[in-house]
């Protein structure tokens, strides 16, 4: 089986969110806000809020929207706001 690296913006956002939530990402994937690693619940939920703003922004590119959606789906799961991993 061959593997391709055709990742999507959604997958890139999800991966960035997982890395950040685990303390390996440095700055928030949406806000870019630096802070202690891993982020606390307050920073996680602030990043969720920022991802909502990005996904609702009609001027956002399709790729930007998909990235923000990936971040949102992962962080809402990490925070216990949704059932089932994305």
């Amino acid at each position: 089986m061959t593997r391709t690296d055709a990742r999507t913006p959604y997958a890139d956002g999800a991966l960035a969110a997982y890395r950040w939530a685990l303390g390996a990402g440095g700055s928030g994937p949406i806000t870019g806000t630096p802070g202690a690693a891993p982020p606390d619940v307050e920073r996680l939920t602030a990043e969720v809020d920022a991802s909502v703003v990005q996904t609702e922004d009609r001027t956002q590119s399709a790729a930007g929207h998909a990235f923000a959606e990936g971040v949102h789906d992962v962080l809402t799961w990490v925070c216990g706001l949704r059932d089932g991993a994305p």
Side-chain angles (χ1 to χ4, degrees):
M1 180 186 302
T2 60
R3 178 175 175 241
T4 63
D5 285 330
R7 289 196 329 228
T8 65
Y10 178 91
D12 288 341
L15 182 59
Y18 279 121
R19 285 182 176 155
W20 181 70
L22 291 170
S27 300
I30 299 290
T31 65
T33 303
D40 59 17
V41 173
E42 186 176 309
R43 289 190 60 224
L44 287 165
T45 55
E47 206 69 19
V48 168
D49 292 344
S51 70
V52 170
V53 170
Q54 291 291 312
T55 59
E56 292 178 352
D57 181 358
R58 295 185 186 269
T59 65
Q60 184 73 263
S61 69
H65 180 275
F67 181 90
E69 191 172 48
V71 170
H72 177 268
D73 289 353
V74 166
L75 295 183
T76 54
W77 177 70
V78 167
C79 291
L81 301 172
R82 72 179 272 164
D83 293 330

